[in-house]
Amino acid sequence: MPTARARLGRRPSSSSYSSTITTIIFVSLCVLGVWLLTSTSVIPPKSTTRTSTESTISTSASSSLDSTIMDAHKTISNNGRTPPVFKDTQGDLPDDAIKPDDANRPQDTRENDKPQTDVSSDITKDSGGRDSLNGNGESLQTSENGKLEDEKKNANLAAVEHSQGLHGTESVEEQEKQKLLETQTSEESSITHRQEAEQITAGIGKTTTGKESKDKGSLGKDKAEEDVSLDSGNDAHGVSTDNTKNILTDQEQQKRLEQHQQQEDDQMQQQQKQSEEQTQGVTSKDQIKHDEAPILKDVKIQHDHKAPVNLTNNLPVLKTENHKTETIVPKESKESKKSWSTQADHSVNQKERRTVGSNNKDSSVPEQNWQLCKVAAGADYIPCLDNEEAIKKLKTTKHYEHRERHCPQEPPTCLVPLPQGYKTPIEWPKSRDKIWYHNVPHTLLAEVKGHQNWVKVSGEFLTFPGGGTQFIHGALHYIDFVQEAVPDIAWGKHTRVVLDVGCGVASFGGYLFERDVLAMSFAPKDEHEAQVQFALERGIPAISAVMGTQRLPFPSGVFDLVHCARCRVPWHEEGGALLLELNRVLRPGGYFAWSATPVYQTLEEDVEIWKAMSNLTVSMCWELITIKKDKLNSVGVAIYHKPDTNDCYDQRKQNKPSMCKPDDDPNAAWYVAFHSCIHRVPSEEKERGYRWPVEWPERLQTPPYWLNQSQVGIYGKPAPDDFAADLEHWKRLVSKVYMNGLGISWSNVRNAMDMRAVYGGFAAALRDLKLWVLNVVNVNSPDTLPIIYERGLFGIYHDWCESFSTYPRTYDLLHADHLFSQLKKRCKIIAVLAEVDRIVRPGGYLIVRDDSATTKEVENLLKSLHWEIRKTISHNQVGILSAQKTLWRPSASAAPT
C-alpha cells in the first residue's frame, strides 16, 4: 500500500502532462523552423506543400517569385537565353565602347529629351527598352508596390537561400532562373555577410562610386560569366560552393538584416555623391591622349531635341539618341606652321582683301531679319558667278572672263528662295537616271541636247538615259572601251581620281562609281544652263568652273587621268595655254583621254584641229598611246601619256612651249593666271610625283611616301605618324559619335562636303557608305590637299570668306571641324552661315565641331534660320553641334529692293 500510494503521489495531473507535451512540440517546431530558415538547400521552382513553419514567407510573394521563375524557364526554352540586364552601365565595357544593346535599340526607345544629361545615361536601358537604373544610379524596384515589408524581407531570404545553393557546375537554366530572381529583387537581394564573403570563389562585382569598375561578377565558368551583370549600387554575388550548408542563427539573421539596412544607407550616400559628381561633369577615368590632344569622356548633352523637323514631301527626319562618346579634339601644332605652306603663300597675287580680311563685326547676336535675295538668278543664285555689277565692268570676254569667279566685296547675307514645287531629291542610285523636274526647272538643255541622249523631259521627271554625245549606247560600255584601249588605265586600281572637263550632265563620272573611281566634273555656268546643277541633283560630284584665264583650284600633279568627251575646248589655241593647265594638274605618268570629233571625223575643221593638236602634244612630250574607234557608238578616243621623267624635255630641239622658270610655283592655284609653260617632272626620289601611289584601295590608308619623319605633321607628330593617327581618330569618332549620336539619317546622305579637310580623314572614315565627300582645304590653312589626292580622294582649294562655286541646294551634309572659330578672325560668320544655308538641301545637315563659344554662336544663327537643332554636346570648352535644314524661307515681301 505505501508503494501504491507513492506511485499515485508521483503521477502528474492531466493538465501538467498536456503542458509538457505542448512544450516539447513547440520546441521541436522552433528547431525545425530555424533549420528550414537557415538551410542552404535550393528552393524548388514550384512547391505544392509547405510546413507550418514556412508561414513566415508570404504566400503571395512566393507564388510571384515562382511564376517569374517559370516565365524565365519559358523564355530560355523559346529564345535560348534571357535578355541581359545591364546593371553596371560603366564597368561592363571598355572605356571607349558603346554597349551593343544601346546601339541596336530602336530609335524611339533610346530617345532622351532631358537637357544637361550625361551622354552615357541611355546605356542603362536593357535590350527590352526597360530602365535598369533610376536617375540616381539606384536599382529600380521591380516588386509590386502593394506587398508588405515583412513579405519583401522573407522573399529576400528565399532568394539568398537560392543563391547560396548554387554550384560552380550548375546548369545554365538554373543560372538564368537565379539571375531573373536577383533582378526582380535587386534592391533587397544584395545583403552582405562577412562569412559569405569568405566562401566566394568566383569574382564578386564591386560597387562603384563614380569610378568605373573593371571587374565583373563571375559564376566560375566562362559561360556563366557572360550572363553576370553588375549593379551600380549593389553587390551581385556569384557564389560557388561544395554542398556545404551555411547554418545561420537567429542572431546572425538579425545581424544580417541590420547590415543590409546599413549597406542601403551607405549606398544612398554614395549614389548621391556620384550624382553630384556627374552633374558637375567630373569624369571617372584618366584621360587618354591621342595626337597629343585630350579625349573627352562622359560628354554632357546640352540639347537633345526629340521633335522631328516639320518638313513636307517626306524629307528625311531621324530621332536622336544619347551615347557615351569619346571625342578627340586635335589641335594644330605651332611647330607644323613652320613646315607647311598655305595656298595663300603659294598664290602671292591673290587679292589683298582676302589676305587682310573684312572688318569682323560682333556676330554673337544672330541677325534675325533674314531676307530673300532679289537677283536675276533667283533660285539658282551663285554670288561669285552671278555678280552682274562686276561682270559689266570687264573689258573683254574673249577668254571667258565673264564665267570666272567675281565675288562681291561684301559677301551677301540674304537667303536664296526655293523653286516652286520643290521636292525631296530622289535617292541614289535612282537619282542617276531621273530627278524631279521642279527641283531643276530648266528645259533648254533637253531641247538642245535631247537627241544626243543627255537629258529628256518625262512628265514630272527629267530623265538621263545614261549616255551622251560620245556614248549613246551607255556610259559603262564607253568606260570599258577606254580601258580596253589602254589596259594599264585599270579603273579602280591604278586609276582612281579623274578630272572630267566640260562634263555636260556628268554621266561619265556618274557611272565611274561602278568602277570604284572618283571623277571631279566641271563645266561653266553658261548658255547650256544647269549642267552642273543637273549633275549634283543626280548625286554626281561637280563644280561650276571654266578654263578661261586662271588656273583651276587644284594642286599640281594630282589627277590620275583627265578626260574630255566632245568638250569643244580650244586646246590648240593661245600657245596651248589650256592644255598646259591640264598638264599642270595631271600626275606624271598619267593619261589624257580625248574623245572628240577631230579624233575620228575628217571634216576640214576637224582635220586642222587634229594637226594643231598633234604638233602641240609632241612639243609637250605627250606620247600618243593609241587611237581607238568604237564601232557601236561610232566614236573614237585618242589616249596620251604624260612623261614621268625629264628626258624628253631635255632633248627637245625647240623650247616651245617653254619650260617654267624655277620661281614659278606649280601649286599656286588661287586666283593665279595661266602661265603658258611646262613644269619639270620631280626627279628626286623623295619628291611628290616621283612615283605613282600604291593601288587603290591600299592608298587610302597608306601615308604618302614623300611624307618623312623629320617633317612635323599638322598635329605635332612626325608627318607619317600624324597621318595614321588622324585616320584612326576619325574612324573612331565617326563610328561612335557621328553614325549614331547626332540624329543624322546617313542613308539619305549622298553629296557631302568637309569644309576643313586637313588629311581627308573624315572622308576616309566614310568610305564604305554610298556617298562622296568633297574635301575643301582653306587657302589660309596648311596645304594638305596633295595628301588627299595621293590617298585616292579628291578636293578643292577655297576661301570660306567667299561664296562656293556650286548651285543652291546641292549638298546633303556639310562638316565643319574647327572652321568657324578661324573664320571669325577674317570675315563675318553671319555671311558664312548664309552660304551654308544656300548650298545645303532642305532636309540636309550641318555638323560643327569647334570651341563652345563659337558653337553657341553658330547654334543661335541656325535657330534664326529656322534650322532644327538635332544635338549639341559640350565638354571642356569644346562643342559638337548637328542641325537639319527646314523648308523655311522668309516672306518674299521682305526681299530687299
Side-chain angles (χ1 to χ4, degrees), residues 20-32:
T20 301
I21 294 300
T22 301
T23 301
I24 294 173
I25 294 175
F26 178 77
V27 171
S28 300
L29 289 177
C30 289
V31 172
L32 179 62

Side-chain angles (χ1 to χ4, degrees), residues 428-538:
W428 181 268
K430 293 182 179 179
S431 61
R432 186 171 58 186
D433 301 324
K434 64 180 181 179
I435 63 174
W436 295 111
Y437 165 75
H438 288 290
N439 287 11
V440 191
H442 301 294
T443 59
L444 180 60
L445 197 60
E447 295 169 4
V448 175
K449 298 290 185 179
H451 67 287
Q452 296 179 349
N453 246 22
W454 281 31
V455 57
K456 295 181 179 180
V457 180
S458 302
E460 61 179 346
F461 299 104
L462 290 166
T463 61
F464 304 87
T469 309
Q470 296 303 105
F471 28 94
I472 298 176
H473 293 282
L476 278 178
H477 169 78
Y478 173 81
I479 290 168
D480 293 338
F481 158 71
V482 171
Q483 180 169 293
E484 290 172 3
V486 181
D488 287 344
I489 287 176
W491 298 122
K493 293 183 178 180
H494 184 77
T495 300
R496 164 65 181 175
V497 186
V498 170
L499 179 66
D500 189 18
V501 183
C503 62
V505 294
S507 291
F508 178 70
Y511 282 89
L512 275 174
F513 279 107
E514 295 194 18
R515 299 294 182 262
D516 217 358
V517 175
L518 281 178
M520 170 67 74
S521 302
F522 76 92
K525 185 177 182 181
D526 58 10
E527 60 275 3
H528 287 167
E529 61 184 5
Q531 295 178 85
V532 169
Q533 192 174 16
F534 281 138
L536 289 163
E537 184 70 18
R538 296 172 70 188

Side-chain angles (χ1 to χ4, degrees), residues 124 163 352 358 403 477 513 655 671 674-675 727 820 881:
T124 60
S163 66
E352 182 179 355
S358 303
R403 304 299 184 191
H477 169 78
F513 279 107
N655 188 29
Y671 291 106
F674 284 150
H675 293 171
L727 176 59
F820 293 102
L881 162 71

Side-chain angles (χ1 to χ4, degrees), residues 140-160:
L140 292 180
Q141 195 83 356
T142 56
S143 59
E144 297 180 3
N145 295 331
K147 295 184 183 297
L148 298 177
E149 187 65 25
D150 60 337
E151 293 177 339
K152 295 180 182 178
K153 293 181 180 178
N154 288 316
N156 274 338
L157 296 178
V160 171

Side-chain angles (χ1 to χ4, degrees), residues 650-878:
D650 297 335
Q651 298 171 5
R652 288 190 309 166
K653 295 180 180 179
Q654 294 182 350
N655 188 29
K656 187 177 181 181
S658 62
M659 302 302 295
C660 297
K661 296 179 180 180
D663 61 352
D664 190 307
D665 187 352
N667 293 308
W670 189 244
Y671 291 106
V672 175
F674 284 150
H675 293 171
S676 297
C677 61
I678 302 174
H679 292 93
R680 295 182 68 84
V681 173
S683 57
E684 298 292 333
E685 186 175 357
K686 295 183 178 180
E687 286 186 272
R688 179 175 70 85
Y690 179 80
R691 66 172 182 259
W692 201 268
V694 298
E695 286 190 349
W696 178 265
E698 287 78 12
R699 66 191 281 186
L700 179 68
Q701 303 186 58
T702 304
Y705 67 89
W706 38 269
L707 288 181
N708 57 75
Q709 291 289 332
S710 62
Q711 184 179 11
V712 179
I714 304 303
Y715 302 121
K717 293 183 178 180
D721 300 334
D722 219 40
F723 174 95
D726 179 76
L727 176 59
E728 292 305 314
H729 152 62
W730 283 111
K731 285 167 113 178
R732 182 167 57 250
L733 186 63
V734 166
S735 64
K736 293 186 178 179
V737 181
Y738 284 20
M739 287 294 102
N740 300 306
L742 296 183
I744 294 174
S745 179
W746 288 94
S747 62
N748 296 321
V749 176
R750 171 64 183 174
N751 304 354
M753 178 191 290
D754 192 355
M755 300 175 72
R756 180 179 171 271
V758 190
Y759 296 122
F762 172 73
L766 296 174
R767 179 216 162 186
D768 293 333
L769 300 184
K770 294 181 179 179
L771 55 81
W772 54 269
V773 180
L774 182 62
N775 295 279
V776 178
V777 172
N778 293 263
V779 297
N780 64 325
S781 297
D783 188 3
T784 55
L785 193 52
I787 297 177
I788 292 172
Y789 277 94
E790 191 78 5
R791 68 191 305 184
L793 305 172
F794 64 175
I796 192 172
Y797 293 121
H798 184 59
D799 183 355
W800 283 110
C801 290
E802 300 179 356
S803 174
F804 193 78
S805 293
T806 190
Y807 283 85
R809 305 170 303 280
T810 49
Y811 281 86
D812 301 306
L813 181 141
L814 298 186
H815 177 251
D817 180 34
H818 290 78
L819 171 68
F820 293 102
S821 56
Q822 295 185 7
L823 290 176
K824 287 195 303 181
K825 305 171 184 177
R826 301 174 49 243
C827 51
K828 297 178 180 178
I829 194 173
I830 290 179
V832 181
L833 264 296
E835 176 65 6
V836 168
D837 183 85
R838 185 183 74 86
I839 66 180
V840 174
R841 291 170 170 172
Y845 303 93
L846 170 67
I847 301 175
V848 177
R849 295 179 68 243
D850 220 312
D851 64 74
S852 296
T854 301
T855 305
K856 188 61 178 179
E857 288 183 43
V858 173
E859 179 184 351
N860 290 337
L861 286 168
L862 291 174
K863 287 180 178 178
S864 72
L865 287 165
H866 294 253
W867 282 49
E868 177 69 18
I869 307 301
R870 307 303 294 139
K871 183 81 73 175
T872 59
I873 309 172
S874 66
H875 184 79
N876 287 346
Q877 303 304 313
V878 176

Side-chain angles (χ1 to χ4, degrees), residues 312-315 379 417-426 435-441 459-461 537 809 842 887 889:
T312 59
N313 303 319
N314 298 319
L315 287 176
L418 294 174
Q420 282 189 332
Y422 182 86
K423 296 183 178 181
T424 304
I426 298 172
I435 63 174
W436 295 111
Y437 165 75
H438 288 290
N439 287 11
V440 191
E460 61 179 346
F461 299 104
E537 184 70 18
R809 305 170 303 280
L887 289 168
R889 296 286 89 179

Side-chain angles (χ1 to χ4, degrees), residues 368-379:
Q368 300 290 343
N369 188 27
W370 294 102
Q371 298 177 339
L372 292 177
C373 300
K374 190 173 183 181
V375 291

